[in-house]
Amino acid sequence: MAAFGLAVAASGWWLLAPIYQPETTCSGGGSSTGASWETCEAPSSMAAAGAWGYIVWFVVIPVVLAGLPLVARGRAWSVLSAVSAAGLVIVVLTGGISFGLPLVPGAACAVVGAVLRNRRHVVGPTV
């Protein structure tokens, strides 16, 4: 659950933060890729810009991967937990320092969750 919550938080930040600015033609001529915002529009969120390809990669995939272990129990949980952890680590590594960094806490929680198995501990004497 912690990995899912952290992935949702990171994905929400990617979805709503004013970080998206495609290359545009500026009013002063030429084009801008975001290096100079003086003559171009300020950056907007990916949701406001309608950048659906980025939204799928930055928002949907990490949330689905983090949510996989929440839909299963028993042996299926162990398998989906390992798939979730591996998938989130791959997304973090391919995203690098730009996209992957906000997902590091969620990926770390998913790895810890996959490593720790659901074991029953008996407290007290057994009869």
Side-chain angles (χ1 to χ4, degrees):
M1 287 182 105
F4 180 74
L6 290 168
V8 166
S11 295
W13 181 79
W14 278 111
L15 184 65
L16 300 173
I19 56 171
Y20 181 80
Q21 182 173 4
E23 184 171 350
T24 59
T25 302
C26 300
S27 61
S31 65
S32 172
T33 58
S36 171
W37 297 330
E38 295 172 6
T39 58
C40 295
E41 294 181 22
S44 64
S45 69
M46 288 192 296
W52 300 112
Y54 292 114
I55 289 172
V56 168
W57 179 248
F58 291 136
V59 178
V60 175
I61 290 175
V63 169
V64 168
L65 284 172
L68 284 176
L70 300 178
V71 297
R73 298 281 183 246
R75 176 130 175 91
W77 177 86
S78 296
V79 172
L80 288 178
S81 182
V83 168
S84 171
L88 284 172
V89 167
I90 289 170
V91 169
V92 166
L93 291 177
T94 58
I97 196 162
S98 61
F99 163 63
L101 197 57
L103 288 171
V104 169
C109 282
V111 168
V112 169
V115 171
L116 298 177
R117 299 289 182 223
N118 219 1
R119 295 187 176 114
R120 291 184 181 182
H121 298 284
V122 177
V123 178
T126 56
V127 179

